[in-house]
Amino acid sequence: MVFKTGNLQVASGKSSSSLAYNEPNCEDGKKTEKYTTQSNDSAQEDNNSDIVSELTGHIGKWQLMWAFFLSLFQFPSTFHLFAFVFEGATKDFWCAAPDHLKSIPTNIWRNITQPKNSCSIIDVNFNEISAENFTEMLSNASSKTLVECKSFEYDMDLIGKTIISEWQLICNKATMVSNVEMCFLAGAAVGSVCSGWISDQFGRRFTLMSFATVQCCIGILLAFASSLSTFMVLRFISGVASMGVLVVSFVLVVELVSGKYRTIIGILNLLPLSISYMVIAGIAYAARDWRTIQLIGSVPCLLLLIMWLNVPESPRWLLARGKMEELKEIINRIAVRNRITLPDNYEKLLISPSDVNDTVSILDLFKGKYRRTTLLMIVIWFSLVLLYFGITLHMNNLGGDIYINTIIAGAVEGVAILCSIIVVLKLGIRINLVIYMLVAGLACLMVNFVPDGNLWIIITLVMIGKCTIGATNAIIQTFTAYQYPTMMRNLGVGTGNFAAGVALIVVPYLWLMEHIQSFLPMTIMGGFGIIGAVALMLLQDRSPKPKSHQRDQTQSPPAHLKIRTAFDNSAYKHTET
């Protein structure tokens, strides 16, 4: 479709727009046409070719403001995901002593009355025994028969009250802990796909705020769960909502900006994850009660719901859906905030695509040129998340102080995320993902070769793995978003998150394998780290190339062939502060 104004010609296509003055007297029309094609290809690579970025710029005060506010949605989602590390932490326990024998030191009581394990106790009548003759009466306790304990006591020194101590998830009920954790992660798998489809159909804003509302309400209700079954059902719903918030808030953020800033903002959007880990550790250390931890982490998310009326819709989703009135309103808001002077009658440049009413389904991801991309991305996401959460959600399996380990891991991951921005802009996204996945996988494999008694070496290797896989986790969503067009982007990211959800379901049972062979969990995670790196190398990358690569492939045109855009006109120049 073409509009003409004097010698100004505006051409708009289905998915991109280019603005150029006619050059009828050009001496070399073929060279001009060739260079124009190369320029358009390069612009398309960098996601700069849409009319939204031409009108509003790649980034400005308005985009930065909302990138910050939308990143805050990562805090409650990370809390609900990671809080179970403390709410369901394993702790030492033993058969409880009768009231009249409470004065007996715990270690003596356990050694004499529970010779086999903490789930069984010698079968004697303790009413006939006093604290004074305890050791004398039970001098031959090891020869007595054993019975199951009816009541237990727990070590409250390091970890306070948990769901394990409240609902007795020990001994023959110990596997229930993995089932409880799996409920949230299964919900996350469902939410990752559902949220993508819902937001593609009804918009990013509506989907995000709806899931955030459910997440907040369910989070508060969890603190008052009266039974284990109720807790598990609420955790499933919380998983659906939390993953929905994570997916949609990320997609909305990257669709507010363009160019290299999409990579930068996409990575920074996940920086609150590392901060959340440290905050949760502080809350858990201070509260020492799982209900209090849950309440403290859930109530502040009510503040995010205040933004419902102000959160913007994605301008690129509005353009793809042909909602021009809402799109013009957002563009005007951006122009005012960023102090941009818009061209007269710019509305004519906003061309609705011809397939505006077409519906994109999950099956479209497995058709044509996107089939290979989708299958490889599933492998990559599964491998990454199995490795990332295999370490993150089981910090207490490393030994040492769980609070200190968590704070160190959060700080290390935060530094890795910040450093990855610089490295990605210099080398590109895919090569970094390959390196990070390989290093994380090898670090996990090397843990198995550390001699016993060298805890600090194990923690160092795990932190290296945590650092690199944490950077990968921050980059992967941006990388995935680049592989799909706007109408398929949320489904593409959602499918990746579905594979992540499946990996999350596997994680709790992965660590149960250490009861078979202690080296199995780290070996499996290390192996999948290498598999993920190989899948990345096989992927046909559609993400923008680093600047150094672009300079090698693209040369500036001669001055007399340079294409002038409509925005080179002084009347259309914007002034950014």
Side-chain angles (χ1 to χ4, degrees):
M1 189 170 183
V2 177
F3 298 97
K4 291 184 178 179
T5 306
N7 69 335
L8 173 66
Q9 176 173 291
V10 179
S12 296
K14 177 179 175 181
S15 60
S16 63
S17 301
S18 60
L19 296 90
Y21 281 106
N22 290 330
E23 299 286 354
N25 297 324
C26 181
E27 295 178 0
D28 196 345
K30 293 182 179 179
K31 290 184 179 179
T32 303
E33 182 179 357
K34 181 179 178 181
Y35 179 77
T36 303
T37 303
Q38 291 176 348
S39 297
N40 286 340
D41 290 342
S42 177
Q44 194 171 23
E45 264 188 342
D46 289 334
N47 290 315
N48 296 339
S49 59
D50 66 340
I51 189 61
V52 175
S53 58
E54 293 284 354
L55 291 170
T56 63
H58 300 311
I59 199 169
K61 287 184 177 180
W62 186 88
Q63 290 95 330
L64 286 173
M65 177 185 69
W66 280 110
F68 170 75
F69 283 130
L70 290 171
S71 70
L72 299 180
F73 284 91
Q74 302 292 334
F75 282 103
S77 297
T78 306
F79 169 81
H80 289 294
L81 174 65
F82 193 65
F84 193 77
V85 170
F86 299 98
E87 294 178 354
T90 57
K91 57 198 319 181
D92 194 15
F93 65 93
W94 55 89
C95 297
D99 292 338
H100 67 285
L101 298 178
K102 294 289 187 184
S103 60
I104 299 174
T106 302
N107 60 333
I108 296 177
W109 165 259
R110 295 181 64 179
N111 290 336
I112 295 178
T113 63
Q114 300 156 55
K116 185 178 179 180
N117 55 48
S118 298
C119 296
S120 58
I121 190 170
I122 57 176
D123 187 15
V124 298
N125 186 0
F126 288 103
N127 292 326
E128 299 176 355
I129 302 173
S130 66
E132 289 75 17
N133 63 1
F134 177 77
T135 55
E136 180 183 349
M137 293 289 291
L138 299 178
S139 57
N140 60 342
S142 58
S143 62
K144 297 184 181 296
T145 57
L146 300 176
V147 294
E148 291 185 359
C149 295
K150 295 182 180 179
S151 61
F152 297 88
E153 293 180 358
Y154 297 86
D155 182 7
M156 296 293 184
D157 291 338
L158 183 62
I159 302 291
K161 188 177 181 180
T162 66
I163 66 166
I164 293 177
S165 59
E166 179 160 337
W167 288 309
Q168 308 290 337
L169 303 183
I170 52 177
C171 299
N172 58 347
K173 294 182 180 179
T175 56
M176 284 298 296
V177 178
S178 297
N179 295 336
V180 173
E181 186 177 4
M182 185 272 294
C183 286
F184 179 91
L185 304 176
V190 174
S192 61
V193 174
C194 291
S195 62
W197 182 85
I198 294 172
S199 67
D200 282 339
Q201 300 303 314
F202 302 102
R204 318 312 195 201
R205 173 191 170 188
F206 171 80
T207 307
L208 172 62
M209 298 311 297
S210 297
F211 276 122
T213 302
V214 174
Q215 179 191 60
C216 187
C217 296
I218 295 299
I220 294 174
L221 289 176
L222 274 166
F224 300 97
S226 58
S227 65
L228 181 61
S229 57
T230 302
F231 183 82
M232 294 173 70
V233 171
L234 292 177
R235 283 284 290 176
F236 176 84
I237 300 173
S238 177
V240 174
S242 297
M243 186 56 72
V245 171
L246 280 173
V247 172
V248 181
S249 64
F250 169 80
V251 172
L252 178 55
V253 162
V254 298
E255 288 183 350
L256 294 180
V257 297
S258 59
K260 68 178 182 180
Y261 300 104
R262 181 166 288 175
T263 300
I264 297 172
I265 295 299
I267 295 174
L268 286 177
N269 179 253
L270 296 181
L271 184 60
L273 268 69
S274 60
I275 301 174
S276 297
Y277 296 148
M278 295 184 282
V279 172
I280 295 168
I283 293 173
Y285 182 81
R288 302 297 179 100
D289 182 278
W290 76 268
R291 293 184 186 273
T292 306
I293 295 172
Q294 184 67 40
L295 203 58
I296 293 175
S298 300
V299 170
C301 71
L302 291 171
L303 299 175
L304 295 176
L305 302 183
I306 299 175
M307 292 193 291
W308 187 306
L309 298 178
N310 296 316
V311 170
E313 182 55 88
S314 165
R316 288 166 176 81
W317 182 83
L318 292 173
L319 179 64
R321 283 295 180 181
K323 299 180 180 293
M324 296 306 167
E325 291 302 319
E326 296 177 54
L327 177 58
K328 287 187 289 185
E329 181 182 347
I330 288 182
I331 290 176
N332 290 333
R333 285 162 57 187
I334 298 174
V336 171
R337 182 67 179 177
N338 291 353
R339 298 182 183 179
I340 295 174
T341 301
L342 295 170
D344 295 333
N345 300 320
Y346 75 89
E347 296 88 350
K348 294 181 180 180
L349 307 178
L350 305 176
I351 307 301
S352 175
S354 58
D355 57 351
V356 62
N357 293 320
D358 289 356
T359 300
V360 179
S361 71
I362 191 73
L363 297 178
D364 292 323
L365 297 176
F366 298 92
K367 296 178 181 178
K369 62 181 180 180
Y370 294 108
R371 182 189 299 112
R372 178 180 176 181
T373 298
T374 302
L375 292 175
L376 287 173
M377 289 306 300
I378 288 174
V379 174
I380 294 165
W381 274 82
F382 181 89
S383 303
L384 185 156
V385 171
L386 187 73
L387 189 52
Y388 179 78
F389 287 101
I391 297 174
T392 302
L393 296 182
H394 291 269
M395 297 296 293
N396 55 334
N397 291 67
L398 301 178
D401 191 301
I402 184 174
Y403 302 105
I404 295 177
N405 289 347
T406 301
I407 292 174
I408 293 175
V412 166
E413 184 172 340
V415 173
I417 290 173
L418 293 175
C419 292
S420 66
I421 297 175
I422 300 173
V423 181
V424 163
L425 293 178
K426 291 292 184 182
L427 301 179
I429 298 180
R430 182 168 68 165
I431 185 63
N432 279 275
L433 289 173
V434 172
I435 294 173
Y436 290 154
M437 289 285 283
L438 278 175
V439 172
L442 292 175
C444 288
L445 291 175
M446 290 174 64
V447 169
N448 295 322
F449 299 96
V450 178
D452 294 338
N454 294 279
L455 180 61
W456 67 273
I457 298 179
I458 294 176
I459 293 179
T460 300
L461 287 173
V462 171
M463 290 305 168
I464 291 173
K466 172 68 173 173
C467 175
T468 52
I469 202 65
T472 307
N473 183 60
I475 299 171
I476 189 63
Q477 297 205 58
T478 303
F479 179 77
T480 306
Y482 275 126
Q483 309 308 311
Y484 299 96
T486 299
M487 291 305 295
M488 299 175 67
R489 183 172 297 136
N490 224 0
L491 273 178
V493 175
T495 301
N497 276 282
F498 177 78
V502 175
L504 284 170
I505 295 173
V506 174
V507 166
Y509 303 101
L510 172 68
W511 280 97
L512 292 178
M513 293 184 180
E514 67 180 350
H515 299 297
I516 302 174
Q517 286 289 345
S518 59
F519 61 83
L520 275 179
M522 282 297 181
T523 302
I524 293 173
M525 289 192 292
F528 271 102
I530 296 174
I531 291 172
V534 173
L536 280 163
M537 289 187 282
L538 296 175
L539 189 67
Q540 183 181 357
D541 187 15
R542 296 184 178 89
S543 59
K545 304 298 181 292
K547 287 185 177 181
S548 58
H549 181 79
Q550 291 179 2
R551 282 196 296 267
D552 294 338
Q553 307 231 348
T554 308
Q555 296 181 354
S556 298
H560 69 283
L561 295 179
K562 186 176 181 180
I563 300 173
R564 297 173 58 209
T565 68
F567 296 94
D568 288 332
N569 191 313
S570 59
Y572 297 150
K573 283 188 178 292
H574 61 269
T575 57
E576 289 188 351
T577 302

